[in-house]
Amino acid sequence: MKRLQQAGRALTVACSFLVSPALAQAPSDADLQALRFYLSEENEQAVNSELRRLQLQYPDWVVPEDLGQLEQGVPGERIDSIYRQIAAGEFAEARASIESLSRTYPSWTPSPELLATLATGEDQANFEAAVEAGNAQVAIRIARENPALLRCERVNNAWLLAEQYEATGAADAAIGVYTGIARSCVDPDILIATLEKSAATASLDQLGQIADLARSQSPATAERLTAVEERLRAGILAARNASAPTEGAPEAETGLPAGVAPDVSLRPISRGQAAPKPRPATGSATKAPAAAPAAPGAAVAAAQRGDWAGCLARTANARSAAGVAQRGWCALNADRPMQALADFTEAAQRGGSASARRDARYGQAITMLELDMIDQAAAIAAATHFTAEQRLEIESLILDKRGVAAYERRDYASAIAYFDELERITGVVRRDLAILRGYAYLNSGQRARAKEEFQRLHDQFATQATKRALSDALR
């Protein structure tokens, strides 16, 4: 530490002649973050460089003779432990730790970020408890009093809030929530899932308004959104017809699509729609084409309510291409990908219309990606004339998986290229992949790019992962 103190005094003298007094001010707590980190690591060279930078930027700042005073300002490990307590839901313990630190280090005060993280964590826990208890009014009050809970990064809360409004009969308020999401968020998965969820409550006009807002937020996803909107409109009209049946009308001609929607939601979607399997962290597709081929009415109905076992039972002896394809979608959603792949392959070989063969090959590609058969899926994509929506979904998943695979084999340049291309064709890149891209920059020597990526993610929504990533980028 004495050597570091001497280095600090030398730098104080050397740097005092290099900058204008007009720039004088003291470094903020955030400015000292890197210096404190280097002090804790006892990295003398890095400490000297950081002191030089700070004195050039803040010429009136006097470096303390005892640099240990700077370390005492933010006891990093103990602050990290508070973040861990918050992440574990130990809010009372976190507050006690903050009070203890304040007594031990009288000059230290908790940062606004730490206090905001604690407050938001408590609000989140209270909101989830109210939802779990079926106390819709309390859940609504908590969400309305805490706008931070309804940010796009926490979109699941907004969807839950809409469900609470629906449970209390406040349909217009629920539509207001869905409209707010479509007006504020840009992630295609969020926009499509929101459009699908709104269909349980929205009129055709309201559905159109939400779809228009979503298209304006994500122009690159406009075709996918339009396809989903058209499917949902057909479902709403079919539900109306079903509530007022015409004598002699054939039961199977419901107009409803078989299987499930082509896009993912973070929770089971609203009543009246099929529930897709959630997307794994590294990326996967929802298990159905944009418009699945016609299949027996009983199997369609089972798929619509997410009864995959019932759907499989009703298609067990299917022989038509449409029936076999329907069985494939139900098998995939029932976590039986090998059976699904066999069914889609059979459906593609049985013939039928060109669109039926195309949709069966789409099922093949989706299933292969589920099984990490990336090259085989890419071969099918190259040989098949998919719809624009199907091609975007398949190519996005291929880029996603190839990027992760490249990172895992330490081919960081290729990983960055795949993630950049994914962002180019979809307009966004998922948060987990963006963090992975940041580490790819860091591991390939592009420290500034890594810090920029991590800082952007941290500013959007601060978590332990982004805090740790920023710390890694400062090393």
Side-chain angles (χ1 to χ4, degrees), residues 237-251 253-254:
L237 290 172
R240 289 180 181 176
N241 293 336
S243 65
T246 302
E247 185 177 354
E251 180 180 351
E253 296 297 319
T254 63

Side-chain angles (χ1 to χ4, degrees), residues 51-137:
L51 283 170
R52 186 179 298 107
R53 184 189 71 80
L54 289 170
Q55 288 230 293
L56 287 171
Q57 187 171 358
Y58 305 106
D60 277 3
W61 177 55
V62 177
V63 180
E65 289 192 10
D66 181 6
L67 294 179
Q69 295 177 16
L70 295 175
E71 291 185 275
Q72 288 185 353
V74 178
E77 178 54 39
R78 294 187 64 178
I79 291 179
D80 286 344
S81 72
I82 296 175
Y83 277 102
R84 288 193 292 270
Q85 287 174 325
I86 295 172
E90 300 169 353
F91 305 118
E93 292 84 348
R95 290 192 179 279
S97 296
I98 290 174
E99 292 177 4
S100 174
L101 275 180
S102 298
R103 289 192 299 269
T104 305
Y105 303 93
S107 63
W108 175 81
T109 56
S111 68
E113 176 198 345
L114 176 58
L115 294 177
T117 301
L118 175 56
T120 302
E122 289 178 312
D123 295 338
Q124 180 71 51
N126 292 334
F127 176 74
E128 291 175 356
V131 171
E132 185 68 23
N135 198 334
Q137 294 293 352

Side-chain angles (χ1 to χ4, degrees), residues 365-409:
I366 290 291
T367 308
M368 287 174 174
L369 289 168
E370 180 80 2
L371 294 167
D372 286 328
M373 299 167 62
I374 304 172
D375 292 338
Q376 293 89 331
I380 287 180
T384 307
H385 186 64
F386 289 132
T387 66
E389 177 188 357
Q390 290 171 337
R391 182 160 298 282
L392 181 62
E393 181 74 0
I394 295 295
E395 291 181 356
S396 298
L397 289 168
I398 289 173
L399 289 169
D400 180 323
K401 286 181 170 289
R402 282 184 169 168
V404 172
Y407 182 89
E408 290 176 346
R409 65 173 182 269

